[in-house]
Amino acid sequence: MNAGLKNVRDLGVADLGRGLAEGAFSSEELTRELLTLVAAQDRYGAFLATHEDSSLNQARRADALRAAGQSGPLTGVPVAHKDIFVTDFEHSGLASTAGSKMLAGYASPFDASVVARLGDGSRDGRLPGAGMVTLGKLNCDEFAMGSANENSAYGPARNPWDLGRVPGGSSGGSAAAVAARLVPAATGTDTGGSIRQPAAFCGITGIKPTYGTCSRYGMIAFASSLDQAGPMARTAEDCALLLSAMSGFDERDATSAQRPPQDFHAQMLRAREGASPGRPLAGLRIGLPREFFPAALAEDVHGAVRAALAELEKLGATLVDVSLPRTELAIPVYYIIAPAEASSNLSRFDGVKFGHRAPQYADLLDMYKKTRAQGFGAEVKRRIMIGTYVLSHGYYDAYYLQAQKLRRMIADDFQACFRECDVIAGPVAPTVAWTLGQTDKDPTADYLADIFTLPASLAGLPGMSVPAGFGQGGLPVGLQLIGNYFDEGTLLHAAHALQQATDIHLRAPAGL
Ligand code: GLN
């Protein structure tokens, strides 16, 4: 083995980029090393698929680009994708399943825009690529519905900090793979918390940018007005590097934001006015909504979040009390709007256009029924039924329309807060990761645990999870930071300052 590869597992994206630039190892060597690790360590259930030949081909191309002086900071660095992003099957050899039996073995004819931008660019040359190497596809809840990764048709993923616990969801495979140091970074998607909550449960860093920042083209749709992609990695710096590459306007997504390309890394580093060396966050006002610190919040979570806030204060930030009075309503509002959109989006899985078709049926209607009964899991069916109900004639006004009105009021509450503060902070989830096997017993308990992530999702605001400390059983706790629209730079800046001053984000689960 190349001596430069020693401890390569402990290196993040930025470090690996430097190692490649200095010639300490090649992308081919690095990719081979990580693929060997993935093959040997599938006790986490994080990966659904790898394809050695195509990954190594991509790595060799990246090495050639470096040799020709045409590389960027991400060229040749491995990344793995949540299996909700489609990957061009002919090019990558990787199927796209959305964690569902419905799409078992599904061979996409194209790459999702996020995959293309991080990788080799789009085939038609429309989108540039950052040259990252796709290491494989990651486990997730079926169609991204869940908070524990237990709704995957391909089995659960496990939390590397305690294999008897869930990694969170729906991007559970992404969080587990990064926390287990099988890959330096992964993509995730967040509809109601699915980047932030698994990042918190697994002790890594993740950011869901403002709705519209990353293209949804090729991201298998769950709830279109909420779905947003984002990076998951060990540090804010690594997230900033990935987000710069994966975001940007895309004419193939009608909700994609028309903005010039953003350099989130530069935004992360930009000094604040009035900041001095020991006080990089001087002048930053962090709002603490009282509804995010209820009496029922687990004590260990509360303690870790408070400790992280105290660190931010030491770095110059000031803490102010604010209120998001409709926080509790975010749960019923989200669990009407998201299933409503899901019921519409999932109508395309009818045995004709994509994926599974029942092998035996009497007539067309019977084919639809059997196909959908066989292809979808219990949680997906539950949401299709709820969604169809709330959209049906006679109930639309009472549920869906009402939920839309409340959604607007929740967004307005945030704007009122942002008159008093620059960033909002609180916990990501009310507890640390729970034990495996509870999702089936009481699915609505999982819904309630989304209380702190749903408000920012409904408002379309950027939200971030940063490792705050450890709670019960030595399990990680996440600090949530929420910013105003398109103010990812401030979130990344605050998280980076915290990570420069502390080492919580660098700790690894025992026994890797
Ligand atoms: N837990 C939430 C749900 O089940 C959020 C999922 C997500 O963000 N994809 O819908």
Side-chain angles (χ1 to χ4, degrees):
M1 198 213 308
N2 175 344
L5 284 174
K6 208 168 148 263
N7 302 332
V8 84
R9 237 178 136 172
D10 294 326
L11 302 183
V13 173
D15 294 332
L16 290 171
R18 278 189 283 272
L20 289 164
E22 288 161 7
F25 39 79
S26 67
S27 175
E28 185 178 352
E29 289 172 313
L30 173 61
T31 303
R32 212 183 274 285
E33 174 72 11
L34 293 186
L35 282 171
T36 309
L37 271 177
V38 170
Q41 308 243 355
D42 64 357
R43 64 175 186 267
Y44 305 108
F47 276 79
L48 292 181
T50 54
H51 194 277
E52 188 173 313
D53 287 350
S54 69
S55 295
L56 292 176
N57 277 335
Q58 233 185 342
R60 283 188 281 266
R61 275 201 300 280
D63 286 331
L65 282 176
R66 279 216 181 259
Q70 292 167 5
S71 54
L74 299 175
T75 310
V77 178
V79 65
H81 296 294
K82 181 177 183 179
D83 206 9
I84 201 89
F85 293 95
V86 299
T87 39
D88 185 332
F89 185 76
E90 199 186 305
H91 183 74
S92 68
L94 296 167
S96 304
T97 70
S100 182
K101 250 192 348 205
M102 189 60 101
L103 286 173
Y106 176 67
S108 168
F110 69 100
D111 274 334
S113 292
V114 162
V115 171
R117 282 190 194 269
L118 288 175
D120 300 329
S122 59
R123 262 203 212 188
D124 59 8
R126 207 169 41 87
L127 304 174
M132 295 188 91
V133 173
T134 301
L135 205 65
K137 301 297 283 289
L138 298 165
N139 205 351
C140 59
D141 283 302
E142 185 173 9
F143 291 103
M145 297 175 191
S147 306
N149 211 115
E150 292 191 291
N151 298 330
S152 167
Y154 303 98
R158 289 167 188 276
N159 192 318
W161 293 86
D162 177 347
L163 295 180
R165 305 235 168 197
V166 303
S170 64
S171 312
S174 304
V178 173
R181 284 147 164 67
L182 299 177
V183 67
T187 53
T189 61
D190 191 310
T191 302
S194 282
I195 288 175
R196 289 162 285 163
Q197 185 256 24
F201 278 13
C202 290
I204 64 163
T205 307
I207 182 165
K208 172 199 100 77
T210 307
Y211 181 80
T213 299
C214 295
S215 170
R216 291 184 298 109
Y217 183 66
M219 213 170 95
I220 297 170
F222 162 14
S224 310
S225 76
L226 294 154
D227 296 344
Q228 185 54 209
M232 301 169 77
R234 270 171 249 150
T235 63
E237 176 172 31
D238 288 356
C239 285
L241 289 170
L242 261 86
L243 189 58
S244 302
M246 67 198 276
S247 58
F249 175 67
D250 182 3
E251 65 197 13
R252 303 226 164 146
D253 172 2
T255 59
S256 162
Q258 299 225 23
R259 303 175 80 221
Q262 300 289 311
D263 183 344
F264 292 105
H265 193 256
Q267 292 177 23
M268 177 194 87
L269 293 175
R270 192 175 300 151
R272 294 187 58 79
E273 212 178 301
S276 56
R279 295 171 60 80
L281 301 183
L284 184 76
R285 297 167 306 164
I286 301 180
L288 308 181
R290 78 175 70 93
E291 296 78 6
F292 278 28
F293 297 88
L297 182 64
E299 222 169 284
D300 55 340
V301 170
H302 196 166
V305 167
R306 284 282 171 193
L309 291 170
E311 289 294 338
L312 291 169
E313 262 188 306
K314 273 196 230 159
L315 297 169
T318 47
L319 306 181
V320 296
D321 291 326
V322 295
S323 174
L324 288 169
R326 294 178 185 86
T327 297
E328 257 182 25
L329 290 177
I331 296 173
V333 168
Y334 173 87
Y335 281 100
I336 287 173
I337 292 175
E341 295 184 15
S343 73
S344 166
N345 275 325
L346 298 184
S347 65
R348 67 183 58 136
F349 300 103
D350 58 2
V352 179
K353 304 183 197 76
F354 304 92
H356 179 71
R357 176 187 295 179
Q360 281 168 348
Y361 47 86
D363 54 22
L364 184 64
L365 188 63
D366 192 45
M367 190 277 281
Y368 288 154
K369 285 185 180 166
K370 292 209 166 92
T371 295
R372 289 168 69 83
Q374 293 165 6
F376 290 137
E379 182 62 22
V380 173
K381 287 177 187 160
R382 192 176 295 127
R383 302 220 186 174
I384 290 173
M385 286 190 278
I386 295 170
T388 307
Y389 179 81
V390 299
L391 288 176
S392 58
H393 184 72
Y395 295 109
Y396 180 91
D397 288 352
Y399 295 108
Y400 187 72
L401 199 64
Q402 201 66 9
Q404 291 289 18
K405 288 180 184 166
L406 286 166
R407 180 179 188 175
R408 160 58 59 190
M409 292 165 97
I410 289 168
D412 289 346
D413 286 350
F414 275 107
Q415 291 313 306
C417 281
F418 284 126
R419 285 196 277 277
E420 292 163 46
C421 62
D422 309 296
V423 167
I424 290 170
V428 175
T431 63
V432 294
W434 54 83
T435 49
L436 279 158
Q438 295 185 34
T439 300
D440 274 353
K441 286 186 216 141
D442 182 5
T444 53
D446 285 14
Y447 298 177
L448 297 179
D450 290 340
I451 182 147
F452 302 130
T453 50
L454 298 179
S457 297
L458 289 165
L461 292 166
M464 190 167 183
S465 177
V466 190
F470 298 88
Q472 185 216 94
L475 292 163
V477 173
L479 169 76
Q480 182 176 207
L481 298 174
I482 299 170
N484 211 340
Y485 298 110
F486 300 113
D487 199 14
E488 287 76 11
T490 301
L491 299 185
L492 291 162
H493 181 75
H496 182 61
L498 180 68
Q499 295 184 342
Q500 293 295 103
T502 56
D503 70 348
I504 287 166
H505 61 293
L506 297 177
R507 299 196 201 155
L512 286 189

